Amino acid sequence: MDAIRRTLFASDTLQIGAFAARPVSDACGDVERQGINVMVLPVSGVFSRHDSLGRHVTGTPSHAVLVAADTPYRLSFPGAIGDRALILRFGQAVALDRLDCHGGRQETASHGLLPAGAMMLCNLLWTRLARGEADAFEAEALGLDLLDISLNAMRGDSTPLRRSAHTRRTRAIERVKEVVALAPAANWNVAKLAKVASLSPFHLCHVFRQTVGTSIYDYVLQERLAQTLDSVLDGGDDLTAIALDAGFASHSHFTARFRRFFGCTPTALRRMATAAHIAELRKIVTARRRRLS
């Protein structure tokens, strides 16, 4: 696997980096271990983080995945399509009360579904750092905002299940997330996804909402929209082509869904990649988070 790692910003509190992987297969890589906590925020592609045999979580542009310090793991890239991600590296002092809430040890498979505003902030920060347009204060403030939102999105599963039942359910959900990430524009329905999960359609809908926190329909729609953010901000593709490639029936259908989910049109988001607009978006996202907390 070819991997490119690049530091975009660094301070005593936070390091922000870019990661790009070009795998030659979908096999698991070697065992890795990070010396510092890492929050992975994909902007395109898909990866899986394996903690032990049969136990893994899936990272897509709608997810945050935590790699706890000094915890062994392996990476794979379903479909060998690769992955690009914004990386937030932070020490224990940054969020000690958050990572130390389970008897001094963070669950190593922690991951969460990001709210719409966080997805936009992630992609906008990636774009501005890649263009060299973000100053140090803006980069650190936005990075810490994203870290806080990502940690809030980590949801524990308090359902009293036997370990074997919990493992089977987790594997089923991750299989569904993987196939959707590989082909979000596919003509999915509940029956097809239930077959992937080896569950009945009713049981899949029930455990998916209980585990992920949203309906399976809304999740597929969210994945389609999240996967378009990179292309929208890149500015090189026609919005109609982006809409059709993502599985939407038309430009207008895509724009309506995009605006309903993200709160702005794709055209407006392209205009947001400026310091003034990103600062305003940050105020909106953080204010909404405070109201919901």
Side-chain angles (χ1 to χ4, degrees):
M1 177 189 73
D2 291 332
I4 300 173
R5 295 174 173 86
R6 188 159 55 100
T7 300
L8 303 174
F9 167 82
S11 71
D12 293 339
T13 305
L14 181 72
Q15 298 174 31
I16 304 176
F19 174 82
R22 300 187 182 93
V24 296
S25 76
D26 58 4
C28 279
D30 296 332
V31 174
E32 301 182 46
R33 192 187 297 262
Q34 298 292 328
I36 191 172
N37 299 307
V38 177
M39 188 69 73
V40 184
L41 301 168
V43 296
S44 67
V46 56
F47 77 95
S48 292
R49 175 177 181 269
H50 302 259
D51 304 306
S52 59
L53 184 63
R55 180 184 178 188
H56 74 282
V57 298
T58 305
T60 77
S62 67
H63 288 83
V65 177
L66 177 66
V67 179
D70 299 319
T71 302
Y73 66 94
R74 301 170 74 191
L75 293 180
S76 69
F77 298 89
I81 64 174
D83 172 67
R84 292 192 302 141
L86 193 71
I87 305 295
L88 306 180
R89 300 172 63 86
F90 60 102
Q92 196 74 355
V94 173
L96 184 62
D97 59 330
R98 308 289 290 281
L99 296 181
D100 215 28
C101 59
H102 297 293
R105 181 178 177 83
Q106 171 68 20
E107 290 293 323
T108 57
S110 292
H111 63 297
L113 195 61
L114 292 172
M119 294 181 212
M120 288 195 294
L121 279 179
C122 177
N123 279 264
L124 285 166
L125 180 56
W126 169 284
T127 299
R128 288 182 54 73
L129 285 170
R131 294 175 182 172
E133 296 173 350
D135 62 34
F137 178 56
E138 177 188 359
E140 185 167 32
L142 287 174
L144 289 172
D145 279 341
L146 278 169
L147 178 59
D148 185 41
I149 295 170
S150 299
L151 288 170
N152 278 330
M154 304 295 173
R155 60 172 64 245
D157 188 359
S158 58
T159 307
L161 293 173
R162 295 191 306 273
R163 179 178 294 275
S164 59
H166 175 80
T167 299
R168 286 195 302 272
R169 187 177 75 172
T170 300
R171 288 177 181 173
I173 295 301
E174 294 304 318
R175 282 197 298 270
V176 169
K177 288 163 62 178
E178 278 187 7
V179 298
V180 171
L182 288 173
N187 185 27
W188 293 116
N189 57 40
V190 175
K192 290 178 182 177
L193 294 174
K195 187 175 181 179
V196 169
S198 299
L199 298 173
S200 71
F202 176 81
H203 194 207
L204 172 64
C205 289
H206 171 70
V207 301
F208 197 93
R209 181 183 289 278
Q210 186 179 56
T211 304
V212 181
T214 189
S215 73
I216 196 163
Y217 173 81
D218 285 343
Y219 179 84
V220 173
L221 179 61
Q222 181 167 320
E223 277 297 297
R224 288 177 176 173
L225 291 169
Q227 294 278 7
T228 68
L229 281 173
D230 192 41
S231 297
V232 168
L233 279 169
D234 179 64
D237 292 332
D238 176 74
L239 291 176
T240 298
I242 293 174
L244 297 178
D245 287 346
F248 293 94
S250 65
H251 180 293
S252 60
H253 182 220
F254 169 56
T255 297
R257 292 290 192 177
F258 195 98
R259 177 164 45 196
R260 184 179 302 171
F261 187 69
F262 291 116
C264 67
T265 66
T267 301
L269 181 61
R270 280 183 168 173
R271 293 197 300 265
M272 274 188 186
T274 66
H277 284 98
I278 201 171
E280 185 61 29
L281 176 62
R282 179 188 174 215
K283 291 178 183 177
I284 294 171
V285 171
T286 53
R288 175 175 173 78
R289 189 172 76 253
R290 285 195 293 271
R291 290 198 301 270
L292 295 176
S293 61

